[in-house]
Amino acid sequence: MTQQAASDLLWDHWREGRLLAALPPDLAPADRAAAYRIQALLEPRSAEPLYGWKIAATSLAGQRHIGADGPLAGRLLAERVLPADAPVPLAGNQMRVAEPEVAFRMGADLPPRAEPYAVAEVMAAVDTAHPAIEFPDSRLEAFERAGEAALIADNACAHLFVLGPPAPEGWRALDLAAMPTRIGAEGRAPYEGRGGNALDDPRLALTWLANALSGQGLSLRRGEVVTTGTTTVPLPVEAGDVVRAELGRLGELTVRVGV
């Protein structure tokens, strides 16, 4: 009941657009395992099957920023995935940043098992690769100091997500770690990065997620989309911005920020 109460509290704040100073001590998860159990209670609230997963804190700088010991997994809910031609609402968003990411759509299930998945196995289960932009957020007011367990319970800062078109044929031969990336808004200098800012390689990030889910007894399922972490410093955005993410030969994605 404590985990359900924690989930209810976070969900109510999301639904009402309010911030929470912190989870009360009697509801705060003690560790990652308890936090993921709270997070899992999000799924029954969605009217659609799970859209996919996000990975947060895939760089050392990102981990230090939020006090995490490693990457965090969060659920992408179908209701929070927007088409590229729809304005991205900022109402109630305290982070107000956009992140360019490499996303993968799975073509086969990766069920839980005792043996860890290797990168080659995971990539063989991928159908398509995509450019993507994530607009993260948290209901925790001081999210940088909330601690990794509280952030996991709050869905690892998953919020709004836009998936770009599939990459052209031949993307599997690309060096995704070295791939130059950038994100910018009109009238401002872009932020530049590389694919390897996501856990050294987006393929490694996807493999980390597959094994993290396996460790929880969960499958990474056919059709699900995984976005593997920001490849640049997050770009501050405001209403009216036209944001353009460029992910090398994987492709580009442009979205408009609403109010």
Side-chain angles (χ1 to χ4, degrees):
M1 292 302 293
T2 297
Q3 290 168 0
Q4 186 66 58
S7 177
D8 291 346
L9 182 63
L10 288 165
W11 182 256
D12 287 345
H13 279 72
W14 275 109
R15 186 179 56 189
E16 297 163 8
R18 295 186 294 121
L19 295 178
L20 181 66
L23 284 169
D26 60 327
L27 300 184
D31 52 29
R32 279 179 170 244
Y36 279 120
R37 288 194 291 271
I38 293 171
Q39 185 191 117
L41 296 171
L42 278 173
E43 281 196 52
R45 303 179 190 273
S46 176
E48 303 290 337
L50 185 67
Y51 183 84
W53 299 85
K54 67 155 290 180
I55 311 173
T58 53
S59 70
L60 288 177
Q63 291 166 19
R64 293 191 190 104
H65 181 60
I66 60 173
D69 292 333
L72 316 177
R75 286 162 163 85
L76 295 177
L77 302 182
E79 291 88 346
R80 295 179 182 173
V81 178
L82 303 175
D85 59 355
V88 176
L90 279 185
N93 189 316
Q94 65 164 327
M95 289 188 177
R96 293 181 171 242
V97 295
E99 300 178 343
E101 310 203 1
V102 176
F104 298 104
R105 187 183 293 279
M106 304 306 297
D109 291 355
L110 293 175
R113 70 183 197 188
E115 179 185 358
Y117 284 102
V119 176
E121 291 178 282
V122 172
M123 293 309 299
V126 169
D127 183 15
T128 51
H130 304 250
I133 302 177
E134 187 189 6
F135 294 83
D137 201 18
S138 173
R139 288 304 86 196
L140 299 170
E141 192 171 86
F143 63 89
E144 305 98 326
R145 302 186 298 277
E148 64 178 17
L151 290 174
I152 290 169
D154 194 30
N155 205 20
C157 301
H159 185 35
L160 302 177
F161 177 72
V162 182
L163 185 70
E169 290 292 330
W171 68 264
R172 292 179 187 273
L174 298 176
D175 184 348
L176 296 184
M179 180 181 69
T181 70
R182 67 166 58 189
I183 189 169
E186 291 181 348
R188 281 181 271 158
Y191 288 5
E192 298 187 345
R194 53 190 287 273
N197 288 335
L199 212 60
D200 295 330
D201 189 313
R203 295 177 173 98
L204 296 179
L206 180 63
T207 303
W208 173 85
L209 179 73
N211 287 316
L213 296 182
S214 179
Q216 297 179 47
L218 300 174
S219 292
L220 183 54
R221 297 191 181 279
R222 181 179 183 272
E224 290 182 345
V225 170
V226 178
T227 191
T228 56
T230 188
T231 62
T232 69
V233 174
L235 175 76
V237 295
E238 57 189 37
D241 279 345
V242 176
V243 178
R244 181 182 182 87
E246 302 172 38
L247 287 103
R249 289 170 59 192
L250 283 188
E252 302 174 352
L253 176 60
T254 300
V255 300
R256 180 170 61 87
V257 178
V259 295

